[in-house]
Amino acid sequence: MAIRLGCIADDFTGATDLANNLVRAGMRVVQLIDVPAPDTETPQDADAVVIALKSRTVPAAEAVEVSLRALEWLRSAGAEQIYFKYCSTFDSTPAGNIGPVTEALMDALGTDFTVATPAFPDNGRTVFKGHLFVGDVLLAESGMRHHPLTPMTDSNLVSVLGAQTGRPVGLIDHKAVAAGPEAIEARIATLRKDGIGAAVVDAVSNDDLVRLGAAVAGLPLVTAGSGLAIGLPANWGIEPSPEAAQLPAASGHSAVVAGSVSAATNGQVRAFLDTGRPGFSVDPMRIAAGEDVAAEALAFADAHLSSEGPVLIYSTESPDAVRDVQGRLGAAEAGELVERTLARVAQGLVERGVRRLVVAGGETSGAVVQALGLTGLRIGPQIDPGVPWCAAPLAGGDTLHITLKSGNFGGPDFFTTSFDLLGNGESQ
Ligand SMILES: Nc1ncnc2c1ncn2[C@@H]1O[C@H](COP(=O)(O)OP(=O)(O)OP(=O)(O)O)[C@@H](O)[C@H]1O
Ligand SMILES: O=C(O)[C@@H](O)C(=O)CO
């Protein structure tokens, strides 16, 4: 069976976020890790396939190359429309990668126009007059200005995207979006006539996204955060259905691996430790000095993995502490050292019987999923907006329940309450 929607996500947490919104809107979704081999069969009974890449912060040429390979696979699987998913905080730099990837996909699809909106109102991301708000503040005044890899210091997305692409960038403002699909289509026609290649779209509510979804049914390519996904399944007559999110029963030990340094994850780590639960802090300077911090973390896990609840291994630190480490090691080097260590820790935890695993941070999730050799995820129930539980088969035949939490997503008690949703298996 051919798929309807083919999705390319620029990081792993973002991919599950998108898959989650598609599932909630009724689509049967398979998430694949990295571009599958050309001869990989199209998943049966899937309305959408999300290919999860780790292309957000690699050099632009690399992001373009891997995104085009993903596009080729999705087109051969029959995708009728392509969705390029990036972060709801538009994480990118003037060098890319949102602009260059968008342009390359447009060229490959032979289309002269696409839309761009990171709006995700359920998680407080709204776009008005082309400016992105995170909660009540502009993007450039949010914690994103301190992001270790993609600091966002301009909230005007028309200028942010304009700096990343050779094509003129325009705006579909809220007046058109609020007036409904026909008004949006009329605005698109005008922009196209004026030679605009990509238009940032205002959206402050789910209703806006549903109206936008209907208006872009005929575009070969849409680019967005996960929010627009709620408006697309209806274009194929698909309606929400609870069966779309069912997973097998969970069992085994629970653990949390946190490599995100975002504000929300900092709060979640603090809240977890404040309950007196066991946590081990991974120090990048000690890794850089050659100490076997992964082995220490696993020894700590050996002492604390129990039916009492999850153990936490984290590198999460305040923005000041992260800046200090980056100043001494370099941002990319520090990131890589920590990612490699946390990926080894995750492997060790699974070897020790962890079967319910929370991973925090997009880059961190990419490293962990690759180290665990997971190739595909089934998407289950939503824990918090943008974060579902997923299930993946392990080599020995067991099922791993895993959730890939975007750094800034999830409530303060996420590291404890997320496990409640899986119910009681053999042990927690
Ligand atoms: N203590 C630390 N010092 C320096 N760098 C760190 C530290 N802890 C984590 N890092 C690095 O910071 C980066 C955090 O990125 P990651 O994508 O995992 O989280 P995030 O940006 O908060 O989440 P998301 O991308 O989902 O919003 C990773 O490369 C990680 O290895
Ligand atoms: O859109 C978001 O905010 C998330 O899905 C994400 O991509 C964070 O890495």
PDB file of all heavy atoms in Angstrom, residues 183-214:
ATOM      1  N   ALA A 183      -9.245  32.192   1.968  1.00  0.00           N
ATOM      2  CA  ALA A 183      -8.451  33.430   2.079  1.00  0.00           C
ATOM      3  C   ALA A 183      -6.955  33.099   2.069  1.00  0.00           C
ATOM      4  O   ALA A 183      -6.148  33.830   1.484  1.00  0.00           O
ATOM      5  CB  ALA A 183      -8.820  34.172   3.357  1.00  0.00           C
ATOM      6  N   ILE A 184      -6.605  31.983   2.703  1.00  0.00           N
ATOM      7  CA  ILE A 184      -5.182  31.590   2.715  1.00  0.00           C
ATOM      8  C   ILE A 184      -4.748  31.236   1.292  1.00  0.00           C
ATOM      9  O   ILE A 184      -3.682  31.649   0.820  1.00  0.00           O
ATOM     10  CB  ILE A 184      -4.935  30.391   3.668  1.00  0.00           C
ATOM     11  CG1 ILE A 184      -5.374  30.737   5.097  1.00  0.00           C
ATOM     12  CG2 ILE A 184      -3.472  29.984   3.644  1.00  0.00           C
ATOM     13  CD1 ILE A 184      -5.388  29.547   6.062  1.00  0.00           C
ATOM     14  N   GLU A 185      -5.603  30.481   0.603  1.00  0.00           N
ATOM     15  CA  GLU A 185      -5.259  30.101  -0.779  1.00  0.00           C
ATOM     16  C   GLU A 185      -5.105  31.335  -1.656  1.00  0.00           C
ATOM     17  O   GLU A 185      -4.213  31.408  -2.511  1.00  0.00           O
ATOM     18  CB  GLU A 185      -6.318  29.166  -1.355  1.00  0.00           C
ATOM     19  CG  GLU A 185      -6.179  27.743  -0.820  1.00  0.00           C
ATOM     20  CD  GLU A 185      -7.359  26.866  -1.207  1.00  0.00           C
ATOM     21  OE1 GLU A 185      -7.708  26.839  -2.396  1.00  0.00           O
ATOM     22  OE2 GLU A 185      -7.938  26.232  -0.313  1.00  0.00           O
ATOM     23  N   ALA A 186      -5.982  32.331  -1.440  1.00  0.00           N
ATOM     24  CA  ALA A 186      -5.891  33.561  -2.241  1.00  0.00           C
ATOM     25  C   ALA A 186      -4.574  34.281  -1.959  1.00  0.00           C
ATOM     26  O   ALA A 186      -3.903  34.779  -2.859  1.00  0.00           O
ATOM     27  CB  ALA A 186      -7.075  34.472  -1.918  1.00  0.00           C
ATOM     28  N   ARG A 187      -4.183  34.283  -0.675  1.00  0.00           N
ATOM     29  CA  ARG A 187      -2.921  34.940  -0.292  1.00  0.00           C
ATOM     30  C   ARG A 187      -1.726  34.188  -0.915  1.00  0.00           C
ATOM     31  O   ARG A 187      -0.782  34.812  -1.399  1.00  0.00           O
ATOM     32  CB  ARG A 187      -2.817  34.969   1.240  1.00  0.00           C
ATOM     33  CG  ARG A 187      -1.553  35.550   1.788  1.00  0.00           C
ATOM     34  CD  ARG A 187      -1.513  37.077   1.733  1.00  0.00           C
ATOM     35  NE  ARG A 187      -0.222  37.568   2.214  1.00  0.00           N
ATOM     36  CZ  ARG A 187       0.495  38.505   1.643  1.00  0.00           C
ATOM     37  NH1 ARG A 187       0.051  39.125   0.560  1.00  0.00           N
ATOM     38  NH2 ARG A 187       1.653  38.862   2.138  1.00  0.00           N
ATOM     39  N   ILE A 188      -1.823  32.864  -0.925  1.00  0.00           N
ATOM     40  CA  ILE A 188      -0.749  32.071  -1.539  1.00  0.00           C
ATOM     41  C   ILE A 188      -0.639  32.427  -3.028  1.00  0.00           C
ATOM     42  O   ILE A 188       0.457  32.617  -3.565  1.00  0.00           O
ATOM     43  CB  ILE A 188      -1.006  30.546  -1.354  1.00  0.00           C
ATOM     44  CG1 ILE A 188      -0.804  30.160   0.123  1.00  0.00           C
ATOM     45  CG2 ILE A 188      -0.097  29.713  -2.261  1.00  0.00           C
ATOM     46  CD1 ILE A 188      -1.106  28.700   0.457  1.00  0.00           C
ATOM     47  N   ALA A 189      -1.777  32.546  -3.707  1.00  0.00           N
ATOM     48  CA  ALA A 189      -1.759  32.856  -5.142  1.00  0.00           C
ATOM     49  C   ALA A 189      -1.085  34.214  -5.382  1.00  0.00           C
ATOM     50  O   ALA A 189      -0.272  34.369  -6.301  1.00  0.00           O
ATOM     51  CB  ALA A 189      -3.194  32.851  -5.685  1.00  0.00           C
ATOM     52  N   THR A 190      -1.385  35.197  -4.517  1.00  0.00           N
ATOM     53  CA  THR A 190      -0.777  36.530  -4.671  1.00  0.00           C
ATOM     54  C   THR A 190       0.730  36.458  -4.454  1.00  0.00           C
ATOM     55  O   THR A 190       1.518  37.015  -5.227  1.00  0.00           O
ATOM     56  CB  THR A 190      -1.393  37.507  -3.631  1.00  0.00           C
ATOM     57  OG1 THR A 190      -2.810  37.477  -3.781  1.00  0.00           O
ATOM     58  CG2 THR A 190      -0.875  38.916  -3.802  1.00  0.00           C
ATOM     59  N   LEU A 191       1.119  35.753  -3.374  1.00  0.00           N
ATOM     60  CA  LEU A 191       2.549  35.665  -3.064  1.00  0.00           C
ATOM     61  C   LEU A 191       3.303  34.991  -4.213  1.00  0.00           C
ATOM     62  O   LEU A 191       4.388  35.422  -4.612  1.00  0.00           O
ATOM     63  CB  LEU A 191       2.765  34.877  -1.761  1.00  0.00           C
ATOM     64  CG  LEU A 191       2.319  35.588  -0.472  1.00  0.00           C
ATOM     65  CD1 LEU A 191       2.321  34.615   0.704  1.00  0.00           C
ATOM     66  CD2 LEU A 191       3.238  36.775  -0.171  1.00  0.00           C
ATOM     67  N   ARG A 192       2.696  33.948  -4.744  1.00  0.00           N
ATOM     68  CA  ARG A 192       3.317  33.215  -5.859  1.00  0.00           C
ATOM     69  C   ARG A 192       3.521  34.135  -7.054  1.00  0.00           C
ATOM     70  O   ARG A 192       4.577  34.128  -7.683  1.00  0.00           O
ATOM     71  CB  ARG A 192       2.393  32.076  -6.284  1.00  0.00           C
ATOM     72  CG  ARG A 192       2.814  30.753  -5.732  1.00  0.00           C
ATOM     73  CD  ARG A 192       1.927  29.677  -6.275  1.00  0.00           C
ATOM     74  NE  ARG A 192       2.684  28.443  -6.340  1.00  0.00           N
ATOM     75  CZ  ARG A 192       2.169  27.256  -6.049  1.00  0.00           C
ATOM     76  NH1 ARG A 192       0.904  27.125  -5.710  1.00  0.00           N
ATOM     77  NH2 ARG A 192       2.916  26.182  -6.118  1.00  0.00           N
ATOM     78  N   LYS A 193       2.487  34.927  -7.347  1.00  0.00           N
ATOM     79  CA  LYS A 193       2.566  35.868  -8.480  1.00  0.00           C
ATOM     80  C   LYS A 193       3.689  36.879  -8.256  1.00  0.00           C
ATOM     81  O   LYS A 193       4.363  37.280  -9.185  1.00  0.00           O
ATOM     82  CB  LYS A 193       1.216  36.584  -8.629  1.00  0.00           C
ATOM     83  CG  LYS A 193       0.881  36.818 -10.082  1.00  0.00           C
ATOM     84  CD  LYS A 193      -0.567  37.033 -10.400  1.00  0.00           C
ATOM     85  CE  LYS A 193      -1.209  38.023  -9.611  1.00  0.00           C
ATOM     86  NZ  LYS A 193      -2.070  38.597  -9.042  1.00  0.00           N
ATOM     87  N   ASP A 194       3.899  37.224  -6.992  1.00  0.00           N
ATOM     88  CA  ASP A 194       4.958  38.193  -6.669  1.00  0.00           C
ATOM     89  C   ASP A 194       6.345  37.549  -6.590  1.00  0.00           C
ATOM     90  O   ASP A 194       7.313  38.205  -6.190  1.00  0.00           O
ATOM     91  CB  ASP A 194       4.664  38.872  -5.314  1.00  0.00           C
ATOM     92  CG  ASP A 194       3.433  39.763  -5.396  1.00  0.00           C
ATOM     93  OD1 ASP A 194       2.983  40.045  -6.533  1.00  0.00           O
ATOM     94  OD2 ASP A 194       2.918  40.161  -4.331  1.00  0.00           O
ATOM     95  N   GLY A 195       6.425  36.289  -6.887  1.00  0.00           N
ATOM     96  CA  GLY A 195       7.729  35.626  -6.909  1.00  0.00           C
ATOM     97  C   GLY A 195       8.238  35.193  -5.551  1.00  0.00           C
ATOM     98  O   GLY A 195       9.418  34.880  -5.379  1.00  0.00           O
ATOM     99  N   ILE A 196       7.355  35.151  -4.538  1.00  0.00           N
ATOM    100  CA  ILE A 196       7.759  34.685  -3.206  1.00  0.00           C
ATOM    101  C   ILE A 196       7.881  33.154  -3.246  1.00  0.00           C
ATOM    102  O   ILE A 196       6.990  32.465  -3.729  1.00  0.00           O
ATOM    103  CB  ILE A 196       6.704  35.104  -2.156  1.00  0.00           C
ATOM    104  CG1 ILE A 196       6.603  36.634  -2.055  1.00  0.00           C
ATOM    105  CG2 ILE A 196       6.998  34.487  -0.796  1.00  0.00           C
ATOM    106  CD1 ILE A 196       7.845  37.331  -1.554  1.00  0.00           C
ATOM    107  N   GLY A 197       8.999  32.642  -2.701  1.00  0.00           N
ATOM    108  CA  GLY A 197       9.220  31.200  -2.738  1.00  0.00           C
ATOM    109  C   GLY A 197       8.736  30.489  -1.485  1.00  0.00           C
ATOM    110  O   GLY A 197       8.305  29.339  -1.535  1.00  0.00           O
ATOM    111  N   ALA A 198       8.829  31.175  -0.354  1.00  0.00           N
ATOM    112  CA  ALA A 198       8.409  30.547   0.910  1.00  0.00           C
ATOM    113  C   ALA A 198       7.726  31.602   1.768  1.00  0.00           C
ATOM    114  O   ALA A 198       8.198  32.738   1.847  1.00  0.00           O
ATOM    115  CB  ALA A 198       9.617  29.987   1.646  1.00  0.00           C
ATOM    116  N   ALA A 199       6.630  31.233   2.399  1.00  0.00           N
ATOM    117  CA  ALA A 199       5.918  32.200   3.239  1.00  0.00           C
ATOM    118  C   ALA A 199       5.810  31.684   4.665  1.00  0.00           C
ATOM    119  O   ALA A 199       5.324  30.572   4.903  1.00  0.00           O
ATOM    120  CB  ALA A 199       4.526  32.474   2.681  1.00  0.00           C
ATOM    121  N   VAL A 200       6.275  32.501   5.594  1.00  0.00           N
ATOM    122  CA  VAL A 200       6.043  32.221   7.012  1.00  0.00           C
ATOM    123  C   VAL A 200       4.546  32.431   7.247  1.00  0.00           C
ATOM    124  O   VAL A 200       3.943  33.347   6.691  1.00  0.00           O
ATOM    125  CB  VAL A 200       6.871  33.204   7.881  1.00  0.00           C
ATOM    126  CG1 VAL A 200       6.491  33.091   9.353  1.00  0.00           C
ATOM    127  CG2 VAL A 200       8.361  32.955   7.663  1.00  0.00           C
ATOM    128  N   VAL A 201       3.939  31.515   8.048  1.00  0.00           N
ATOM    129  CA  VAL A 201       2.495  31.628   8.279  1.00  0.00           C
ATOM    130  C   VAL A 201       2.221  31.875   9.758  1.00  0.00           C
ATOM    131  O   VAL A 201       2.704  31.138  10.626  1.00  0.00           O
ATOM    132  CB  VAL A 201       1.757  30.345   7.848  1.00  0.00           C
ATOM    133  CG1 VAL A 201       0.245  30.584   7.874  1.00  0.00           C
ATOM    134  CG2 VAL A 201       2.191  29.898   6.463  1.00  0.00           C
ATOM    135  N   ASP A 202       1.405  32.903  10.028  1.00  0.00           N
ATOM    136  CA  ASP A 202       0.957  33.158  11.402  1.00  0.00           C
ATOM    137  C   ASP A 202       0.012  32.043  11.853  1.00  0.00           C
ATOM    138  O   ASP A 202      -0.817  31.572  11.069  1.00  0.00           O
ATOM    139  CB  ASP A 202       0.167  34.475  11.472  1.00  0.00           C
ATOM    140  CG  ASP A 202       1.060  35.704  11.461  1.00  0.00           C
ATOM    141  OD1 ASP A 202       2.290  35.554  11.516  1.00  0.00           O
ATOM    142  OD2 ASP A 202       0.500  36.825  11.391  1.00  0.00           O
ATOM    143  N   ALA A 203       0.099  31.646  13.101  1.00  0.00           N
ATOM    144  CA  ALA A 203      -0.875  30.711  13.688  1.00  0.00           C
ATOM    145  C   ALA A 203      -0.774  30.839  15.195  1.00  0.00           C
ATOM    146  O   ALA A 203       0.327  30.706  15.758  1.00  0.00           O
ATOM    147  CB  ALA A 203      -0.595  29.269  13.259  1.00  0.00           C
ATOM    148  N   VAL A 204      -1.891  31.142  15.836  1.00  0.00           N
ATOM    149  CA  VAL A 204      -1.875  31.293  17.292  1.00  0.00           C
ATOM    150  C   VAL A 204      -2.776  30.275  17.993  1.00  0.00           C
ATOM    151  O   VAL A 204      -2.877  30.277  19.218  1.00  0.00           O
ATOM    152  CB  VAL A 204      -2.276  32.736  17.716  1.00  0.00           C
ATOM    153  CG1 VAL A 204      -1.295  33.744  17.147  1.00  0.00           C
ATOM    154  CG2 VAL A 204      -3.689  33.080  17.276  1.00  0.00           C
ATOM    155  N   SER A 205      -3.454  29.442  17.205  1.00  0.00           N
ATOM    156  CA  SER A 205      -4.355  28.453  17.816  1.00  0.00           C
ATOM    157  C   SER A 205      -4.398  27.200  16.941  1.00  0.00           C
ATOM    158  O   SER A 205      -4.007  27.242  15.762  1.00  0.00           O
ATOM    159  CB  SER A 205      -5.775  29.027  17.915  1.00  0.00           C
ATOM    160  OG  SER A 205      -6.295  29.168  16.593  1.00  0.00           O
ATOM    161  N   ASN A 206      -4.918  26.112  17.515  1.00  0.00           N
ATOM    162  CA  ASN A 206      -5.074  24.902  16.721  1.00  0.00           C
ATOM    163  C   ASN A 206      -6.039  25.128  15.564  1.00  0.00           C
ATOM    164  O   ASN A 206      -5.869  24.560  14.481  1.00  0.00           O
ATOM    165  CB  ASN A 206      -5.563  23.745  17.602  1.00  0.00           C
ATOM    166  CG  ASN A 206      -4.435  23.199  18.474  1.00  0.00           C
ATOM    167  OD1 ASN A 206      -3.264  23.516  18.255  1.00  0.00           O
ATOM    168  ND2 ASN A 206      -4.778  22.384  19.457  1.00  0.00           N
ATOM    169  N   ASP A 207      -7.056  25.960  15.785  1.00  0.00           N
ATOM    170  CA  ASP A 207      -7.998  26.250  14.687  1.00  0.00           C
ATOM    171  C   ASP A 207      -7.277  26.879  13.497  1.00  0.00           C
ATOM    172  O   ASP A 207      -7.579  26.581  12.342  1.00  0.00           O
ATOM    173  CB  ASP A 207      -9.109  27.192  15.172  1.00  0.00           C
ATOM    174  CG  ASP A 207     -10.076  26.471  16.110  1.00  0.00           C
ATOM    175  OD1 ASP A 207     -10.061  25.217  16.129  1.00  0.00           O
ATOM    176  OD2 ASP A 207     -10.831  27.150  16.829  1.00  0.00           O
ATOM    177  N   ASP A 208      -6.316  27.763  13.796  1.00  0.00           N
ATOM    178  CA  ASP A 208      -5.532  28.361  12.701  1.00  0.00           C
ATOM    179  C   ASP A 208      -4.817  27.264  11.913  1.00  0.00           C
ATOM    180  O   ASP A 208      -4.768  27.293  10.682  1.00  0.00           O
ATOM    181  CB  ASP A 208      -4.475  29.331  13.262  1.00  0.00           C
ATOM    182  CG  ASP A 208      -5.081  30.622  13.783  1.00  0.00           C
ATOM    183  OD1 ASP A 208      -6.219  30.951  13.391  1.00  0.00           O
ATOM    184  OD2 ASP A 208      -4.410  31.303  14.583  1.00  0.00           O
ATOM    185  N   LEU A 209      -4.245  26.300  12.641  1.00  0.00           N
ATOM    186  CA  LEU A 209      -3.483  25.244  11.966  1.00  0.00           C
ATOM    187  C   LEU A 209      -4.398  24.334  11.151  1.00  0.00           C
ATOM    188  O   LEU A 209      -4.030  23.857  10.080  1.00  0.00           O
ATOM    189  CB  LEU A 209      -2.683  24.432  12.995  1.00  0.00           C
ATOM    190  CG  LEU A 209      -1.525  25.227  13.636  1.00  0.00           C
ATOM    191  CD1 LEU A 209      -0.955  24.490  14.835  1.00  0.00           C
ATOM    192  CD2 LEU A 209      -0.425  25.502  12.596  1.00  0.00           C
ATOM    193  N   VAL A 210      -5.595  24.104  11.657  1.00  0.00           N
ATOM    194  CA  VAL A 210      -6.552  23.273  10.908  1.00  0.00           C
ATOM    195  C   VAL A 210      -6.957  23.992   9.608  1.00  0.00           C
ATOM    196  O   VAL A 210      -7.006  23.392   8.534  1.00  0.00           O
ATOM    197  CB  VAL A 210      -7.783  22.938  11.790  1.00  0.00           C
ATOM    198  CG1 VAL A 210      -8.910  22.336  10.972  1.00  0.00           C
ATOM    199  CG2 VAL A 210      -7.356  21.979  12.913  1.00  0.00           C
ATOM    200  N   ARG A 211      -7.182  25.313   9.700  1.00  0.00           N
ATOM    201  CA  ARG A 211      -7.527  26.085   8.491  1.00  0.00           C
ATOM    202  C   ARG A 211      -6.357  26.068   7.508  1.00  0.00           C
ATOM    203  O   ARG A 211      -6.540  25.885   6.305  1.00  0.00           O
ATOM    204  CB  ARG A 211      -7.869  27.526   8.866  1.00  0.00           C
ATOM    205  CG  ARG A 211      -9.247  27.676   9.504  1.00  0.00           C
ATOM    206  CD  ARG A 211      -9.611  29.150   9.657  1.00  0.00           C
ATOM    207  NE  ARG A 211      -8.964  29.753  10.804  1.00  0.00           N
ATOM    208  CZ  ARG A 211      -9.530  29.843  12.018  1.00  0.00           C
ATOM    209  NH1 ARG A 211     -10.745  29.380  12.204  1.00  0.00           N
ATOM    210  NH2 ARG A 211      -8.887  30.395  13.018  1.00  0.00           N
ATOM    211  N   LEU A 212      -5.150  26.219   8.043  1.00  0.00           N
ATOM    212  CA  LEU A 212      -3.969  26.202   7.172  1.00  0.00           C
ATOM    213  C   LEU A 212      -3.814  24.827   6.518  1.00  0.00           C
ATOM    214  O   LEU A 212      -3.508  24.722   5.324  1.00  0.00           O
ATOM    215  CB  LEU A 212      -2.710  26.548   7.984  1.00  0.00           C
ATOM    216  CG  LEU A 212      -1.389  26.482   7.227  1.00  0.00           C
ATOM    217  CD1 LEU A 212      -1.360  27.489   6.075  1.00  0.00           C
ATOM    218  CD2 LEU A 212      -0.204  26.749   8.170  1.00  0.00           C
ATOM    219  N   GLY A 213      -4.040  23.773   7.316  1.00  0.00           N
ATOM    220  CA  GLY A 213      -3.929  22.407   6.781  1.00  0.00           C
ATOM    221  C   GLY A 213      -4.809  22.218   5.558  1.00  0.00           C
ATOM    222  O   GLY A 213      -4.377  21.675   4.533  1.00  0.00           O
ATOM    223  N   ALA A 214      -6.028  22.688   5.644  1.00  0.00           N
ATOM    224  CA  ALA A 214      -6.954  22.532   4.505  1.00  0.00           C
ATOM    225  C   ALA A 214      -6.460  23.326   3.300  1.00  0.00           C
ATOM    226  O   ALA A 214      -6.563  22.871   2.160  1.00  0.00           O
ATOM    227  CB  ALA A 214      -8.346  23.000   4.920  1.00  0.00           C
TER     228      ALA A 214
END
